[in-house]
Amino acid sequence: MSAAPAITGDSKRIPFRISGYILIVSSLFVLFLVAINSTWQGSSQIHTSMEIFSATIAAVVSALSFVRFYSDKSYLYLFLASGFLATTFLDGYHAIVTSSAMEGILPSAQEALIPWSWNASRCFLGVLLCMAAWPHRRDSYLMKVNRSPERIIYLIVGIVAVFCFLLFTIIPLPNAHFRDMILLSRPQEHIAGILLLIALVGFLRDGRWKTNSFEHWIVISLLIGIACQSLFMASSFGLFNIMFDIAHSLKALSYICVLVALLSSSFSLFKDERDGRAALALVLESLYEEVDARKVAEAELLQRKNQLELEVQKRTTELSETNNNLETMLYVASHDLREPLRSMQNFSSLVLDRYADKLDEKGVDFLTRIVRAGERMDRLMEEILMVSRARRMIKPNKLVGARVLIDEAVESLRGRISSTNARIEIMDTLPALYVDRVWATQIIQNLLANALKFVEPGEPPDITIEAYRVATEPNATGLAIKDRGTGVPENQSERIFGLFQRGVARSVEGTGAGLAIVRQIVDKHDGSVKVVPRQGGGSVFTVTFGAARD
């Protein structure tokens, strides 16, 4: 719940407001001094008219305060509404029972009934204004008592009103005039004056009167009310005299000040709402413009995206055609180059076989080198063709047991395994893989061939083949081929998979294309191949083939 009305106004008004308060107090004091010696004498009819007018103003103030309370749930408005509602009933009752028509009907004389019934509404209003002026104690107490404190306030107001009605109707009241002395003729009036003074201190201490027009008018109302009670009515020596009538006029004026406070507060709310609507309209207009700009930007981005996609698709198609042309050219060139190469090999071998005895040692060495170079060139051509065929391989979708692939690769290398006295250990638990059987066998064959080739001099190859799995990667399933050979330096672990790249000196026979072929075949299987050092020496080649099954 909000504690008070919204703060409006300008702090520059503070000196003017203080000057206004001083002027009001001074004017009331001057009026008191002028009226003290007046012989004016009113009547019961004038008194009844003023009370009816005051009750009417109080009813309007109460209604407006209730509207404000139920619109923003401020306890300040709740106490104003409740206080002026009780004041409406008590002042109206006061106007009726003190009229000339009721004289002699009630048990109390007019000289006692009029002052006491007057003071009842003023004291009760003073109590509720004190509650309204001290928000911290008021709000904390009410929230502890009940989540709907207005019910308690309404109950208290009803009980007090009924009590006063019964009191003034049934019980004879004592004389309200004690002595003809200024400020002490009716000393009970100072009770309401003190309550209004406490409320004034609370509002001044709160400080919102400095910029808030609502509390500014409440302060004016309290200044007038205090003067009404403790200055004029306390100095009234009898009924309907000048002090009596001025006090009733000031009471009505204090009610009017509260009415002005409510109207000014409502005007400020309407003004703030109008300004808020204008600001909101500007914000909405800015948002609409921003949305339109974003839509234009999104349309431009979409258009650019479509253009880029078309351009990428076009470039991809061109690149694919270029690659296909290059692969076709590579295949044709390798195939056609092998014919003259084989002729060179054959004729060099014939010369070496038939005329070796007619050549000196250098001539035989030269021919031998030519034959070996031709053989190496032939192997290079063969591996280039294999790379080209691997690039054109269709993605496999057949399930093949890994043991079948390993057995076929070992069988193709049987002669080299025997000649090197190699030991190959194949573990029992191996997966079934979705692979191209021929190409997957080629992968294992190339990796085994390297393990047989790259060993320390005089040491037989020692190879272990087992399943390879990575728990965090469902598709990382394949084989691990471990050897105890010369190993691969860590800085060469990626380079050796390039075409014609080798991780060792050229003293070891080979073309450097075997691992490049492995990489091409693995890529077509949506797998991967890598090498890491093996603890104790050697290397571990791991190769995966995408989806697999145990």
Side-chain angles (χ1 to χ4, degrees):
M1 294 185 180
S2 57
I7 294 178
T8 59
D10 192 343
S11 59
K12 293 181 179 180
R13 298 176 181 176
I14 297 175
F16 296 100
R17 290 185 174 180
I18 294 175
S19 300
Y21 300 155
I22 295 173
L23 179 61
I24 290 171
V25 173
S26 301
S27 300
L28 291 171
F29 188 72
V30 170
L31 177 62
F32 175 77
L33 295 177
V34 171
I36 194 67
N37 295 319
S38 174
T39 58
W40 163 272
Q41 187 66 32
S43 65
S44 174
Q45 291 76 16
I46 295 176
H47 168 256
T48 301
S49 300
M50 287 192 294
E51 287 296 342
I52 292 174
F53 177 75
S54 297
T56 303
I57 298 298
V60 175
V61 170
S62 176
L64 290 177
S65 298
F66 274 120
V67 171
R68 290 301 304 274
F69 169 68
Y70 283 105
S71 65
D72 63 8
K73 288 294 183 180
S74 168
Y75 287 139
L76 170 60
Y77 294 120
L78 173 62
F79 282 101
L80 282 179
S82 302
F84 276 94
L85 178 63
T87 299
T88 300
F89 291 136
L90 293 175
D91 282 354
Y93 179 78
H94 173 73
I96 294 172
V97 299
T98 60
S99 64
S100 57
M102 298 293 293
E103 188 172 358
I105 298 177
L106 298 177
S108 301
Q110 293 285 352
E111 288 77 7
L113 183 60
I114 290 176
W116 287 116
S117 60
W118 149 280
N119 198 41
S121 68
R122 301 298 289 160
C123 288
F124 190 71
L125 180 62
V127 170
L128 289 178
L129 287 177
C130 286
M131 293 293 293
W134 296 88
H136 301 297
R137 295 182 180 179
R138 173 196 72 208
D139 295 351
S140 61
Y141 173 75
L142 288 177
M143 293 307 294
K144 288 180 181 178
V145 172
N146 198 304
R147 292 184 179 180
S148 299
E150 57 266 28
R151 296 179 182 177
I152 298 176
I153 302 300
Y154 300 156
L155 180 62
I156 294 173
V157 169
I159 292 174
V160 170
V162 172
F163 174 78
C164 291
F165 294 160
L166 294 176
L167 176 68
F168 300 140
T169 304
I170 299 174
I171 300 175
L173 300 173
N175 184 24
H177 293 85
F178 293 91
R179 57 177 65 89
D180 292 338
M181 293 182 60
I182 297 175
L183 304 181
L184 292 176
S185 177
R186 290 167 58 172
Q188 70 273 16
E189 302 296 337
H190 292 300
I191 298 175
I194 292 172
L195 291 173
L196 295 176
L197 178 62
I198 294 173
L200 175 64
V201 172
F203 280 107
L204 291 176
R205 182 176 177 274
D206 186 56
R208 301 192 183 194
W209 58 272
K210 298 175 182 178
T211 54
N212 187 324
S213 60
F214 177 84
E215 295 200 10
H216 166 64
W217 281 101
I218 293 294
V219 169
I220 293 176
S221 173
L222 289 170
L223 290 174
I224 295 173
I226 293 169
C228 166
Q229 290 298 125
S230 297
L231 195 62
F232 288 92
M233 190 57 81
S235 301
S236 175
F237 300 151
L239 298 180
F240 314 132
N241 63 11
I242 187 64
M243 293 296 186
F244 183 91
D245 286 347
I246 291 177
H248 280 76
S249 300
L250 291 178
K251 180 179 77 169
L253 181 60
S254 68
Y255 292 176
I256 292 173
C257 289
V258 178
L259 178 61
V260 172
L262 289 167
L263 294 176
S264 66
S265 176
S266 299
F267 173 77
S268 297
L269 284 178
F270 293 143
K271 182 176 181 296
D272 291 342
E273 182 181 0
R274 182 193 63 189
D275 295 342
R277 285 183 183 178
L280 181 60
L282 291 176
V283 171
L284 289 176
E285 184 178 358
S286 176
L287 287 175
Y288 290 146
E289 292 176 355
E290 184 177 350
V291 169
D292 292 339
R294 289 192 176 186
K295 287 182 178 179
V296 173
E298 287 176 359
E300 293 177 352
L301 287 174
L302 181 61
Q303 183 180 3
R304 182 59 179 166
K305 175 178 173 289
N306 293 334
Q307 292 176 351
L308 289 174
E309 288 179 351
L310 291 175
E311 187 174 348
V312 169
Q313 186 176 2
K314 179 181 178 183
R315 295 287 180 88
T316 303
T317 303
E318 292 176 353
L319 183 60
S320 178
E321 292 176 354
T322 302
N323 286 337
N324 291 334
N325 293 335
L326 288 174
E327 289 177 4
T328 302
M329 184 181 69
L330 178 63
Y331 179 81
V332 173
S334 299
H335 183 272
D336 293 345
L337 285 173
R338 295 186 75 186
E339 292 300 324
L341 179 61
R342 286 174 180 170
S343 298
M344 291 173 59
Q345 286 180 277
N346 292 335
F347 283 113
S348 297
S349 299
L350 286 173
V351 171
L352 188 60
D353 292 340
R354 295 181 182 182
Y355 303 102
D357 57 342
K358 296 180 181 182
L359 297 173
D360 59 11
E361 186 178 348
K362 287 187 177 181
V364 173
D365 181 55
F366 290 158
L367 280 175
T368 301
R369 291 189 180 188
I370 291 173
V371 171
R372 289 179 179 174
E375 292 174 351
R376 176 176 170 76
M377 188 67 177
D378 186 60
R379 288 195 301 273
L380 284 172
M381 294 294 181
E382 179 62 31
E383 291 181 348
I384 290 174
L385 289 173
M386 188 175 292
V387 171
S388 178
R389 289 195 296 271
R391 286 179 179 272
R392 295 195 297 271
M393 182 186 70
I394 299 174
K395 187 174 180 180
N397 58 2
K398 293 182 179 180
L399 192 65
V400 183
R403 183 63 190 235
V404 175
L405 304 175
I406 295 170
D407 289 344
E408 290 180 357
V410 169
E411 184 61 32
S412 66
L413 296 171
R414 180 66 64 187
R416 193 180 303 180
I417 293 172
S418 298
S419 64
T420 58
N421 296 319
R423 187 186 74 84
I424 300 178
E425 181 182 6
I426 303 173
M427 308 305 290
D428 292 334
T429 305
L430 296 171
L433 307 166
Y434 283 99
V435 294
D436 183 289
R437 181 169 179 171
V438 174
W439 288 109
T441 301
Q442 185 67 50
I443 289 175
I444 300 172
Q445 181 179 326
N446 286 9
L447 294 176
L448 287 176
N450 279 356
L452 294 171
K453 184 190 308 181
F454 297 104
V455 295
E456 296 293 342
E459 294 290 334
D462 183 0
I463 304 170
T464 301
I465 304 175
E466 62 185 20
Y468 173 73
R469 295 179 179 85
V470 178
T472 57
E473 301 178 30
N475 290 335
T477 304
L479 298 172
I481 299 176
K482 305 176 180 180
D483 64 58
R484 291 294 184 186
T486 56
V488 178
E490 290 190 19
N491 59 353
Q492 303 288 330
S493 60
E494 184 62 30
R495 191 179 69 86
I496 60 174
F497 292 102
L499 188 60
F500 304 137
Q501 300 295 325
R502 306 180 67 185
V504 296
R506 293 189 177 274
S507 58
V508 180
E509 181 183 359
T511 62
L515 292 179
I517 294 171
V518 171
R519 171 62 63 82
Q520 287 293 328
I521 299 171
V522 166
D523 289 345
K524 286 294 183 179
H525 285 79
D526 293 332
S528 65
V529 61
K530 61 183 179 180
V531 60
V532 295
R534 185 180 184 185
Q535 188 174 3
S539 301
V540 178
F541 282 84
T542 57
V543 57
T544 61
F545 298 94
R549 188 174 70 189
D550 292 337

